[in-house]
Amino acid sequence: DARGERGLSLYPETSLFFSLHLQEEGSKLPPPPTPAPTAPPAPAPLDKPIVLMKPREESKGPASGAGAPVPEGATPPPPVTPTPPKGEKEGQRPTQPVYQIQNRGMGATTPAAMDPVVGQAKLLPPERMKHSIKLVDDQMNWCDSAIEYLLDQTDVLVVGVLGLQGTGKSMVMSLLSANTPEEDQRAYVFRAQSAEMKERGGNQTSGIDFFITQERIVFLDTQPILSPSILDHLINNDRKLPPEYNLPHTYVEMQSLQIAAFLFTVCHVVIVVQDWFTDLSLYRFLQTAEMVKPSTPSPSHEASSSSGSDEGTEYYPHLVFLQNKARREDFCPQKLRQMHLVIDQLMAHSHLRYKGTLSMLQCNVFPGLPPDFLDSEVNLFLVPFMDAEGDSESLPRAGPGSSPLFSLLPGYRGHPSFQSLVTKLRSQVMSMARPQLSHTILTEKNWFHYAARIWDGVKKSSALAEYSRLLA
């Protein structure tokens, strides 16, 4: 035996072979089932995260084979188990937030049910209007079709327009909202007066037209106030008047007052368009509409029932006087000062915000005039003829005896171009303050319901009924 031990020591390979052989024979004996239950407790906590993370690694073949041999001996799991969890946890952390972000807002819990179009649909801009629609029809009835284009957001600006017949109200509102002077007038969002309509002396717009831009600015185009064509249509077509009106001209004036009082209540900015300076009856009409304007709804019933409301709580819009079709002489500084002075004196007793919110001097229309040139500057803006841009050939040029260089220069116009003035007017109107229309903040849809209630109140106004009785 001593020889055998010495032989094993001399041949280590033989000893290793015998030790491995004994281990294999020991594994075949029945008693070893006892170490089997002792081995699983150690790798059990390590195997659980492997099973949970494994579905993300199903595409990899070696990963699935490494986690399978759970019932085998205790020696293989320890070296295999520590490495995969680290690799899987490191690969899982960046993918988990991405999965949650994709799942957010789509209403789907499984990747197969997720549709990117559904998530993107909530971020699409609102439907764009291509033409105006009726807010009040020619029978003075309210229309509900405009609410389809409104949203539940509070950042909205409402701009209305008033003016006599043929002054260019629809053209001005189209240029301020969505069109350019280069476009065909037949494609304007507010249909302008056609040549045939001008020859017949008729009016193009009836009632109130509605249009909202992608910038959430509402434009309201109205029928002409004190229109002779509407009066002629009532008389010649034998239209039946409402029972509360006896004479056609009374009905036409009351229609105009209802529209003006409505705009003074639901608009942030009201543009008064004129094509000549100036008509005293227009200012008298504006003061009458201000007198019969509905009072701002008050949250307390006591304040609303009182006859005289506090001026601090009463709402008045910004009033802008637009001198359309202005001539070269109207842009003279002396003439400009006289126009501001006349408007200021005529509107001296008005509560409408007719001064302090728009200035031609601040937008560099008259670069040589100092800011304090006008003693009392009102919200007045001048716009020349739109067709004057194509009449450059008729403008005076240099004489035949002058230098050839001056003959190539454009003729003297006396004012900026029509396009530049419209752009400056648009920027001034859009940048005006947006005061609160009522005692509560209104969204676009809330404004629509508020305007519908105001229009119903205007038609049933006791002040307007009393005024029409005095006219008769």
Side-chain angles (χ1 to χ4, degrees):
D1 295 343
R3 292 177 182 176
E5 293 175 359
R6 187 175 57 183
L8 292 175
S9 61
L10 292 175
Y11 299 94
E13 296 83 359
T14 309
S15 63
L16 179 61
F17 172 77
F18 278 104
S19 62
L20 294 176
H21 181 68
L22 291 175
Q23 289 180 2
E24 289 178 359
E25 288 182 353
S27 61
K28 295 179 182 179
L29 296 176
T34 52
T38 57
L46 297 175
D47 291 341
K48 288 183 181 180
I50 297 173
V51 175
L52 291 175
M53 306 300 176
K54 196 162 109 172
R56 302 185 182 275
E57 302 290 335
E58 286 179 357
S59 59
K60 299 180 180 180
S64 60
V70 178
E72 291 186 3
T75 51
V80 177
T81 51
T83 52
K86 293 181 181 179
E88 289 176 359
K89 288 182 180 179
E90 292 176 358
Q92 179 186 359
R93 287 176 183 174
T95 58
Q96 211 168 8
V98 174
Y99 180 81
Q100 293 177 357
I101 291 175
Q102 290 178 352
N103 203 17
R104 186 179 303 164
M106 295 185 183
T109 56
T110 61
M114 290 189 299
D115 187 5
V117 179
V118 178
Q120 295 176 2
K122 296 184 179 181
L123 302 177
L124 291 177
E127 185 179 357
R128 182 176 182 178
M129 295 186 66
K130 298 181 180 179
H131 55 81
S132 61
I133 59 177
K134 285 294 180 185
L135 188 69
V136 176
D137 60 12
D138 55 352
Q139 301 295 329
M140 298 293 112
N141 296 322
W142 186 262
C143 303
D144 293 330
S145 57
I147 197 172
E148 301 176 0
Y149 298 92
L150 301 180
L151 304 177
D152 286 322
Q153 62 95 24
T154 57
D155 189 13
V156 59
L157 176 67
V158 185
V159 181
V161 66
L162 291 172
L164 300 175
Q165 182 174 325
T167 55
K169 300 180 298 300
S170 300
M171 183 202 68
V172 169
M173 296 298 278
S174 298
L175 295 176
L176 291 179
S177 58
N179 299 111
T180 58
E182 293 79 11
E183 298 181 27
D184 188 0
Q185 295 189 10
R186 293 173 294 182
Y188 282 3
V189 292
F190 296 104
R191 189 176 179 184
Q193 198 176 21
S194 60
E196 180 184 358
M197 193 66 66
K198 292 179 181 178
E199 294 173 356
R200 291 192 294 132
N203 63 296
Q204 188 66 49
T205 306
S206 59
I208 301 177
D209 292 343
F210 170 92
F211 183 84
I212 185 169
T213 64
Q214 294 290 92
E215 295 79 15
R216 316 317 297 166
I217 301 176
V218 176
F219 289 91
L220 301 179
D221 186 21
T222 61
Q223 70 181 26
I225 59 176
L226 309 175
S227 173
S229 64
I230 297 178
L231 178 61
D232 179 73
H233 182 73
L234 285 174
I235 297 174
N236 294 333
N237 294 350
D238 295 332
R239 285 185 54 185
K240 293 184 179 180
L241 300 176
E244 59 269 21
Y245 304 110
N246 298 326
L247 300 174
H249 69 272
T250 303
Y251 179 56
V252 171
E253 184 174 354
M254 295 309 299
Q255 273 189 348
S256 303
L257 287 175
Q258 288 176 357
I259 293 175
F262 171 75
L263 294 186
F264 287 165
T265 310
V266 303
C267 291
H268 298 101
V269 182
V270 177
I271 302 176
V272 180
V273 182
Q274 308 177 78
D275 58 352
W276 64 284
F277 194 85
T278 185
D279 191 353
L280 296 180
S281 62
L282 176 63
Y283 299 91
R284 190 179 300 111
F285 171 83
L286 295 176
Q287 295 174 1
T288 305
E290 179 186 356
M291 178 182 64
V292 298
K293 182 184 83 71
S295 59
T296 305
S298 175
S300 61
H301 296 285
E302 296 179 358
S304 60
S305 60
S306 59
S307 58
S309 59
D310 186 12
E311 293 182 1
T313 60
E314 192 66 22
Y315 171 77
Y316 295 97
H318 299 287
L319 195 65
V320 176
F321 293 94
L322 179 61
Q323 189 69 26
N324 192 23
K325 306 175 184 178
R327 301 170 299 175
R328 183 193 305 170
E329 295 79 12
D330 297 333
F331 288 88
C332 178
Q334 289 76 15
K335 181 70 174 294
L336 183 67
R337 175 183 288 175
Q338 294 176 0
M339 295 167 68
H340 280 265
L341 183 61
V342 168
I343 295 177
D344 187 31
Q345 292 180 353
L346 291 175
M347 301 293 295
H349 302 286
S350 174
H351 295 289
L352 299 171
R353 305 178 184 182
Y354 67 94
K355 59 192 308 183
T357 55
L358 183 142
S359 173
M360 293 188 69
L361 300 180
Q362 295 180 1
C363 60
N364 202 24
V365 176
F366 301 96
L369 298 181
D372 56 348
F373 174 76
L374 300 173
D375 300 331
S376 56
E377 186 177 11
V378 299
N379 300 333
L380 175 64
F381 204 92
L382 277 63
V383 175
F385 280 90
M386 185 172 65
D387 298 336
E389 300 296 327
D391 298 341
S392 57
E393 298 297 334
S394 61
L395 296 175
R397 296 178 179 269
S402 60
S403 173
L405 178 62
F406 291 100
S407 62
L408 299 177
L409 297 176
Y412 177 71
R413 186 181 290 111
H415 53 77
S417 64
F418 180 84
Q419 175 66 39
S420 63
L421 286 174
V422 170
T423 303
K424 294 178 185 296
L425 174 63
R426 183 190 298 111
S427 62
Q428 293 249 336
V429 171
M430 304 316 171
S431 61
M432 283 188 175
R434 306 180 182 186
Q436 195 169 317
L437 297 176
S438 64
H439 295 281
T440 58
I441 300 177
L442 300 177
T443 63
E444 293 179 11
K445 293 185 178 180
N446 291 340
W447 171 86
F448 182 83
H449 297 299
Y450 174 75
R453 189 169 71 251
I454 292 298
W455 179 253
D456 185 65
V458 164
K459 294 180 67 176
K460 300 177 181 178
S461 172
S462 58
L464 283 169
E466 183 66 18
Y467 184 79
S468 64
R469 188 183 65 83
L470 293 177
L471 289 178

